């Protein structure tokens, strides 16, 4: 006997009336018109909780840790009532053969209907054996599980971009999941880790509206990744005013001035930290005095020191930033110009005694 | 290798080989293979770390001031401890002295991690080894309430509370979608709790899930987020301002009060829920004395939580330092992480390459060069389809660290035993352990077991909540005395650094002794090595055939059902394994 | 002594001058507006990356960074619109107006003159050649550093600008692809855009030097040509 979404709502003390209201609201927000409300109600009354298979590759588990910090909705309610977390190595009771069997069963029973959530990523070097589960490469399990999924969620910087293990020289060839999964819609929820309420927000959006959130160019939900930290940072007035922290723990730091000169990557980082904030809205990196390190951005590990404002450009072989390379080049050119001018003046003085005299053979 | 004896254990790999992979409810990827004799008793145990990311390779050539952020991502469960270890290593290399407030705030963050990690481990990673969720359906809510009220005055304990919970649980089970509880070992004879205790534990599993997210807010206030708060070489990034204009942009009275309230609530939860549950559960499993492993003979701790800033001597540490070997509890050996004779890592049985694999390397000269090679006469399967590993060859991504050549156990149990035998310096630890032993009516030797390890973690958690309050008071007193400095920036600029430098940093992470070793050259990292708690505990064998703590602890444990690895999980979980940490 | 020499020079010049109308008025106007815009862009751009020391007082009383960025963006519009106008002029203006957009790379004669000019700058030949429009080396440099450079700075600049305007803004729609093209992290676009500052600076240094030097040494007018439009040949 499988519990439906409706049962779940009823169990949470939601009346039939407000359930129907919810259905008509959903219908309207989907642009279907109120005639569709009964159909949605019927679907919800008969549909089981959506199974979620949560795989972990090379990672640090902080995406799972973040997920369980969700305050609204509470993780407890998400797991017991909103979806069915049918495979999650860090939380599940079973292990070994029993765990493997569980995975197989869910894949079979809910073929094409489960959501695959991926934390971490597969390494491809050594035939994938830098990450082994059940004696075989994680990348195989990932591909097989993705094949029958309805949609895929890429949790965190690992699954979305590669994250720390993919930082240069990426010894294991850790690879973002969209590079090994094809033909499936993938929602990237980057961050290291992503904010808990952003994670549950994305999942509940998918369950409630039964569709993928709108994504930006890079596959991130616009609703949480549409703006930069800098666009909504409460220290922004100090930025515009030209008021910056110049050293750690200086007077400006104690007044909460802008951290731009300490290398803050808020101006180049798309995430919801400055609005949703962390851990039930308590703070976020900048509010606690450290610049944003850009943890939701692709390749943020390889953009030079977190404390540099003008960051390194690795393409120049040596580690150097634009001001160093460009400033040096400009100085060299400037010097060359001066030298050239001197030589020119000399040549002119010697050849022509300062006077232009037409020479024979001139055109 | 056949049968041989090491560290008092008789290893015999002739019996039926059982594989458990994945080991769930841990961090990362772990595989275990054991040999069972005809009575289903484990006679050989092989533990394998099955992931590697190469952080030590990735760190080379980078700015040492950034290293904390990289190493912090070694693990999101023990989040922050690697970062702290890293900034300490860099500060050690560059002789940077941090302000008193920075030290206290770091202590508060580290304590906060201990409290959070231990609590989550107990309820969400370990409890289901002792608690049968399905049996809770049979409980009488009224008697559950009586039980709960008899052990604690925690307010959520009425019959109605437990009835509602049980109904929710029933619905959940009847839905047929068991989620994370599916296909587990419910009903296994190794479960000993009565239904009422099970129901109470399940209730607290859910309460703890709600509450753990509150605990970490201390990280959020000081470090901006959790998991993975921010740190700083030279101090902490959060500035203090309690008087002046702009205080709302810094650590002010409101923030400090917030910290205080979380400290108080954490203490209450640990005192009224965690510890009573621990004792209640333990009282039903007193007879199950397996899993001691190395704990009675070889344990080690680096110590942590310097009370005064910049003094890392054992006398100044609130978590004890030292080593005990050959089971001689009367002798606590000094531990010095910079001594090349003391700490060495071997790779004889690990998938790495050394120029000379008969020798161990001190981490300052450590080498990390992967070399995946499953092989050996008993290896079964292929390169990408491992059926059975052969422990006589290389068989794990974890290196084998040794302290003066000994395999040692690290973690809460080691720390609590070291505190117990040095009870004068650590009266809280000594008294609490005595009280717990008395309450359960068991001898000191009962500590050296799976349950002892689990109990030590709870005791440590309690100790840490106590220290949190004390450190908070210390912070306030120092601010009151007029010191609000949080960072030393004298050596912030790499141009002030020597051409070459090396340093080492340590912490006591929730799972045990953690060290980072760094060499800096021309302002960049020249070598970086981490030896992590689960590297010690999850260590494979060394050249002398010595087994590590996981393998030792599994030895001689009987399984109630040969096809259900419940007891294996129970003992492994008592270490709180972290595989992302172990191999990094 | 100088006076005497000047008089002598003036007399010679008057005797030898031939003049040709090269740069039409819109082009000249554009040149100076463009030069001004780039100067403002370079200065403010540098200050965006390396701001002035902290301002005292309340945030609401200051807007220094805001003004600097405003100046950068205003100059950016002038620069970009001017560039579009300049492209238009390449179609309707005289043949010299097309020079900085099209290189006769298929013309081996042109290449040999590039190398000739190069030798002139390396003091390997005694005399420069005279050109009605740009000399081939100048043309090559202007194409590479200025024309390509301007497109590059406009693309990267408006990509960054689009981030401020927001997703779905015209700049984000038109130039957002640039960020994706460099790997999706806009920090990278900042670094590359910043690099453009130095490329531009180098171009300007060389360009201004060459203009003054040639004005003196090549016996044809340059600076005044960009003012009056007339190229004067002194012999
Ligand atoms: C010759 C032309 C230009 C030069 C030399 C120049 C220079 C610079 C420099 C040095 C920076 C600082 C980059 C950093 O390190 O973050 C900058 C930022 C910027 N530039 Fe330009 N730029 C030019 C043209 C443009 C154009 C055409 C636009 C178009 C709108 C533009 C828009 C921007 C924007 C939006 C920023 C970022 C401002 C911020 O982050 O607050 N730039 N520019
Ligand atoms: C930011 C500064 C400047 C920029 C970006 C710049 C750019 C240019 C460009 C693109 C042209 C080619 C015009 C065309 O054919 O459409 C040009 C020509 C010229 N510029 Fe500039 N210019 C700058 C400053 C100056 C200055 C300060 C001078 C004078 C000292 C100058 C003198 C000239 C001259 C003489 C020409 C004509 C060269 C010839 O006839 O071959 N420019 N400049
Ligand atoms: N082992 C380990 Fe950790 C801990 N505690 C770190 O040092 O868990 Ni991820
Ligand atoms: S994205 Fe970051 S937080 Fe998430 S698993 Fe990877 S390293 Fe951990
Ligand atoms: S602190 Fe960072 S995000 Fe906030 S305004 Fe300053 S630069 Fe922008
Ligand atoms: S570092 Fe990460 S947590 Fe937010 S403020 Fe920056 S994206
Ligand atoms: Mg190591």
């Amino acid at each position: 006997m499988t519990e439906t979404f409706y049962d779940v709502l009823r169990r949470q003390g939601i009346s039939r009336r407000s359930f129907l209201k919810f259905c008509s609201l959903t219908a309207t927000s989907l642009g279907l018109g109120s005639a569709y409300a009964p159909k949605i109600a019927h679907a919800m009354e008969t549909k089981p909780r959506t199974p979620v298979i949560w795989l972990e590759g090379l990672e640090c588990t902080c995406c799972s840790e973040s997920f369980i910090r969700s305050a609204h909705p509470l993780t407890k309610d998400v797991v017991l009532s909103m979806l069915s977390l049918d495979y999650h190595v860090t939380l599940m009771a079973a292990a070994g053969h029993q765990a493997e069997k569980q995975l197989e069963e869910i894949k079979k029973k809910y073929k094409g209907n489960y959501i695959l959530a991926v934390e971490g990523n597969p390494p491809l070097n050594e035939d994938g054996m830098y990450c082994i589960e059940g004696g075989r490469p994680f990348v195989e399990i990932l591909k097989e599980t993705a094949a029958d999924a309805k949609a895929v969620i890429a949790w965190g910087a690992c699954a979305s971009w590669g994250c720390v293990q993919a930082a240069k020289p990426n010894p294991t060839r850790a690879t973002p999941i969209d590079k090994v999964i094809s033909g499936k819609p993938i929602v990237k929820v980057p961050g290291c880790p992503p904010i808990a309420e952003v994670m549950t927000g994305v999942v509940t959006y998918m369950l409630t509206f039964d569709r993928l959130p709108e994504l930006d160019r890079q596959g991130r939900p616009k609703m949480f990744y549409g703006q930069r930290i800098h666009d909504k940072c409460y220290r922004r007035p100090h930025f515009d005013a030209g008021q910056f922290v110049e050293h750690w723990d200086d007077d400006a730091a104690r007044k909460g001035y802008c951290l731009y000169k300490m290398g803050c990557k808020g101006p180049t980082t798309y995430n919801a930290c400055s609005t949703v904030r962390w851990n039930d809205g308590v703070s976020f990196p900048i509010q606690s005095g450290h610049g944003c390190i850009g943890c939701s951005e692709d390749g943020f590990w390889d953009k030079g020191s977190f404390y540099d404002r003008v960051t390194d450009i690795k393409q120049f072989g040596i580690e150097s930033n634009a001001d160093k390379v460009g400033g040096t080049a400009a100085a060299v050119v400037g010097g060359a110009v001066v030298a050239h001018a001197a030589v020119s003046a000399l040549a002119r003085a010697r050849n022509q005694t300062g006077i232009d005299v037409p020479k024979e053979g001139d055109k | 290798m056949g049968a041989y004896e090491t560290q008092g254990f008789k290893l015999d790999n002739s019996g039926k080989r059982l594989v458990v992979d994945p080991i769930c409810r841990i961090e990362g990827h772990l595989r275990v293979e054991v040999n069972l004799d005809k009575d289903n008793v484990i006679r050989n145990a092989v533990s394998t770390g099955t992931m590697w990311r190469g952080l030590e390779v990735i760190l080379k050539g980078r700015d040492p001031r950034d290293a904390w952020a990289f190493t912090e991502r070694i693990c999101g469960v023990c989040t922050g401890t690697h970062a702290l270890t890293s900034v300490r290593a860099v500060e050690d290399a560059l002789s940077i002295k941090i302000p008193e407030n920075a030290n206290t705030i770091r202590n508060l963050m580290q304590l906060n991690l201990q409290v959070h990690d231990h609590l989550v481990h107990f309820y969400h990673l370990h409890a289901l080894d002792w608690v049968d969720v399905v049996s809770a359906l049979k409980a009488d809510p009224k008697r559950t309430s009586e039980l709960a009220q008899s052990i604690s005055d925690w307010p959520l304990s009425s019959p109605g509370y437990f009835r509602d919970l049980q109904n929710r649980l029933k619905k959940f089970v009847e839905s047929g979608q068991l989620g994370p509880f599916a296909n587990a070992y419910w009903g296994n004879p190794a479960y000993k709790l009565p239904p009422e205790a099970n129901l109470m534990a399940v209730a607290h599993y859910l309460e703890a899930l709600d509450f753990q997210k509150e605990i970490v807010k201390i990280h959020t206030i000081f470090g901006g987020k959790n998991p993975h708060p921010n740190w700083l070489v030279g101090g902490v990034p959060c500035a203090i301002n309690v008087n002046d204009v702009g205080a709302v942009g810094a650590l002010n009275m409101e923030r400090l009060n917030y910290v205080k309230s979380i400290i108080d609530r954490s203490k209450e939860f640990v005192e009224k829920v965690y510890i009573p549950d621990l004792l209640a559960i333990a009282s039903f499993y007193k007879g199950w004395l397996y899993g001691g492993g190395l704990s009675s003979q070889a344990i080690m701790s680096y110590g942590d939580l310097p009370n005064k800033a910049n003094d890392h001597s054992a006398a100044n540490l609130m978590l004890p330092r030292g080593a005990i070997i050959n089971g001689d509890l009367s002798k606590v050996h000094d531990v010095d992480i910079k001594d090349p004779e003391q700490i060495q890592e071997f790779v004889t049985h690990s998938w790495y390459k050394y120029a000379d694999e008969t020798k161990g390397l001190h981490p300052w000269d450590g080498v990390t060069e992967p070399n995946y090679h499953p092989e050996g006469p008993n290896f079964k399967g292929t390169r990408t389809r491992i059926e059975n590993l052969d422990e006589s060859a290389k068989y794990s991504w974890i290196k084998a660290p040794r302290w003066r050549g000994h395999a040692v156990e690290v973690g809460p149990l080691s720390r609590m035993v070291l505190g117990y035998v040095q009870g004068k310096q650590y009266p809280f630890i000594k008294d609490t352990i005595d009280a717990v032993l008395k309450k359960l009516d068991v001898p000191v030797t009962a500590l050296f077991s799976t349950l002892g390890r689990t109990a030590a973690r709870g005791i440590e958690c309690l100790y840490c909540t106590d220290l949190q309050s004390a450190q908070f008071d210390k912070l306030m007193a120092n601010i009151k005395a007029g010191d609000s400095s949080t960072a030393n920036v004298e050596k912030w600029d790499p141009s002030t650094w020597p051409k070459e430098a090396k340093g080492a940093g340590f912490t006591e992470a929730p799972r045990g002794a953690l060290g980072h070793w760094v060499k800096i050259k021309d302002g960049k990292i020249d070598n970086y090595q981490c030896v992590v708690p689960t590297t010690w505990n999850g260590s494979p064998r060394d050249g002398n055939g010595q087994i590590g703590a996981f393998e030792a602890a599994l030895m001689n444990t009987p399984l109630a059902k040969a096809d259900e690895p419940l007891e294996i999980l129970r003992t492994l979980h008592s270490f709180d394994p972290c595989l992302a940490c172990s191999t990094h | 002594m100088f006076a005497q020499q000047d008089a002598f020079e003036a007399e010679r010049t008057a005797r030898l001058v031939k003049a040709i109308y090269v740069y039409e008025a819109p082009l000249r106007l554009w040149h100076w507006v463009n030069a001004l815009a780039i100067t403002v862009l370079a200065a403010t751009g540098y200050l965006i990356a390396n701001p002035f020391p902290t301002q005292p007082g309340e945030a609401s009383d200051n807007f220094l960074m805001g003004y600097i960025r405003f100046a950068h963006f205003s100059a950016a519009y002038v620069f970009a619109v001017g560039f579009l106008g300049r492209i238009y002029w390449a179609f309707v203006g005289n043949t010299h107006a097309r020079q900085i957009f099209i290189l006769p790379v298929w013309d081996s004669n042109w290449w040999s003159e590039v190398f000739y000019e190069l030798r002139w700058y390396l003091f390997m030949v005694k005399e420069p050649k005279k050109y009605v429009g740009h000399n081939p080396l100048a043309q090559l440099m202007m194409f590479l550093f200025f024309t390509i450079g301007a497109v590059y700075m406009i693309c990267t600049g408006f990509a960054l600008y689009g981030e401020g305007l927001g997703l779905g803004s015209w700049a984000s729609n038109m130039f957002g692809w640039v960020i994706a093209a460099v790997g999706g992290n806009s920090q990278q676009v900042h670094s590359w855009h910043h690099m453009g500052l130095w490329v531009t600076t180098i171009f300007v240094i060389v360009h201004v030097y060459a203009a003054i030097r040639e004005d003196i040494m090549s016996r044809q007018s340059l600076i005044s040509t960009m003012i009056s439009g007339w190229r004067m040949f002194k012999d």
Side-chain angles (χ1 to χ4, degrees), chain C residues 36 46 130 136 197 212:
Chain C
L36 182 71
Y46 183 82
K130 298 192 181 66
L197 161 72
I212 296 171

Side-chain angles (χ1 to χ4, degrees), chain C residues 50-111:
Chain C
N50 307 282
F52 285 121
T54 282
Q55 298 300 298
E58 278 299 321
S60 48
D61 281 342
N62 291 285
F63 200 62
L64 184 59
M65 203 57 184
Y67 290 128
I68 290 171
R69 293 174 72 248
F70 178 75
H72 193 77
F73 305 149
S74 308
Y77 270 108
V78 171
F79 176 68
V81 171
F83 190 70
L84 286 179
R86 181 66 186 77
I87 292 173
Y88 168 75
W89 196 253
F91 287 101
V92 300
N94 65 18
T95 136
H96 308 301
R98 284 183 273 286
Q99 277 195 295
I100 62 164
F101 295 102
I102 305 160
L103 298 181
V105 283
W106 53 91
D107 181 347
S108 64
N109 199 33
W110 181 79
W111 280 110

Side-chain angles (χ1 to χ4, degrees), chain B residues 252-395:
Chain B
N252 56 39
M253 208 56 214
E254 177 269 338
R255 298 273 95 180
L256 291 164
N257 285 337
Y258 206 149
V259 171
K260 172 78 173 136
S261 78
I262 297 163
I263 289 175
D264 292 345
R265 289 170 67 201
S266 305
K267 197 167 153 86
E268 191 187 11
F269 196 93
V270 171
E271 278 171 358
K272 295 192 176 171
V273 185
Y274 182 0
I275 298 297
D277 282 355
L278 177 68
L279 293 173
I281 291 173
S283 65
F284 290 99
Y285 286 95
K286 280 198 301 197
W288 203 82
L289 283 171
Y290 303 101
L294 300 181
S295 62
S296 61
Q297 35 171 314
I299 57 174
M300 189 199 63
S301 167
Y302 298 155
D304 198 358
L305 305 171
N307 195 22
K308 282 200 308 288
N310 307 309
D311 175 359
H312 291 168
S313 66
N316 189 44
L317 300 177
M318 294 178 284
L319 278 175
R321 167 183 296 164
I324 286 173
I325 44 172
N326 302 327
D328 180 2
L329 295 177
S330 67
K331 172 101 186 88
V332 175
H333 299 264
D334 276 346
V335 172
D336 178 0
I337 62 169
K338 296 187 182 179
D339 180 352
E341 298 301 312
Q342 292 194 24
I343 293 165
Q344 295 182 332
E345 281 192 308
F346 296 81
V347 296
T348 331
H349 292 278
S350 313
W351 286 316
Y352 300 94
K353 220 184 283 172
Y354 278 0
D356 176 0
E357 296 192 357
T358 61
K359 295 217 171 67
L361 295 177
H362 182 263
W364 263 331
D365 302 312
V367 173
T368 303
E369 199 189 333
N371 176 28
Y372 176 65
H373 239 275
E375 56 185 3
N378 292 330
F379 175 79
K380 280 208 206 107
T382 65
R383 222 178 121 65
T384 54
R385 283 284 181 291
I386 300 170
E387 286 163 34
N388 284 149
L389 286 162
D390 184 347
E391 61 275 21
S392 71
K394 289 182 185 284
Y395 68 94

Side-chain angles (χ1 to χ4, degrees), chain A residues 19-29 33-34 37 40:
Chain A
F19 169 69
L20 291 175
K21 207 165 137 201
F22 169 82
C23 292
S24 65
L25 264 176
T26 308
T28 334
S29 73
S34 54
I40 291 177

